[in-house]
Amino acid sequence: TRADAFAVMRDFYSGTPYALDGAGMAGGYAGTPERWAGGDANASGGWERAISLYRSQVVVVLEARSALPAGVGGVAHFTPNAGHGGTFVPLAVGMTALPACVTNATSWARVERWSLAWATRFAFQLLQLRFDAMYAAFDAARADFEAGSAAVLAALEQAYVPGDAAPLDEQLGARAAAA
């Protein structure tokens, strides 16, 4: 399912013997699953590498459904960050214009609060302060948002008129801007 694909892209092995979060030896500061580069070059061994990695710039889950019209059958679920620190927003292939919050970020050199990339990066950085205390609430809020996006996408699929991209551009663009 879509939710399963999102979960894989967010995985840091929580609840397994290889868990990178939590209070065990592999758990980072405040339970963060991040393993930052650097350290003693003479050290041997290392930690598992999570699927969801802090240095990810973009994660995309592609969904292709041939039973639906082409404009809504193909959807790219996009987050400009590590999977566990971002929120997937749906972008249908029938859209004729991507929202500015997705396309117009200039660089990491200047904070652009309207940019989806900057918004998700900010949330990700906040999580690092107390991952153990904040991740469950973040995950619940993200799940609510993504359920709302799924409902908007389902309604658009039902009402889609081939060639009419305006509802896709407006409603999916609004979801991306709200993320």
Side-chain angles (χ1 to χ4, degrees), residues 35-69:
R35 297 299 170 269
W36 309 104
D40 186 354
N42 295 319
S44 62
W47 303 109
E48 304 300 327
R49 175 177 270 181
I51 293 170
S52 183
L53 196 58
Y54 75 92
R55 47 183 188 257
S56 298
Q57 294 292 313
V58 172
V59 179
V60 180
V61 172
L62 298 176
E63 190 172 16
R65 299 160 303 165
S66 62
L68 293 171

Side-chain angles (χ1 to χ4, degrees), residues 72-162:
V72 292
V75 179
H77 300 274
F78 169 81
T79 186
N81 198 353
H84 67 287
T87 301
F88 285 102
V89 295
L91 303 169
V93 298
M95 296 174 75
T96 58
L98 292 174
C101 66
V102 172
T103 61
N104 292 341
T106 56
S107 74
W108 292 118
R110 190 176 85 217
V111 175
E112 296 170 328
R113 297 187 189 283
W114 52 266
S115 160
L116 183 60
W118 271 102
T120 56
R121 185 62 62 176
F122 181 73
F124 180 80
Q125 294 300 326
L126 280 176
L127 281 172
Q128 301 313 308
L129 297 174
R130 283 297 310 271
F131 194 88
D132 55 348
M134 292 191 270
Y135 190 71
F138 175 80
D139 195 37
R142 175 178 56 203
D144 286 346
F145 180 85
E146 289 174 351
S149 293
V152 167
L153 187 58
L156 287 168
E157 291 164 0
Q158 293 298 315
Y160 181 67
V161 175

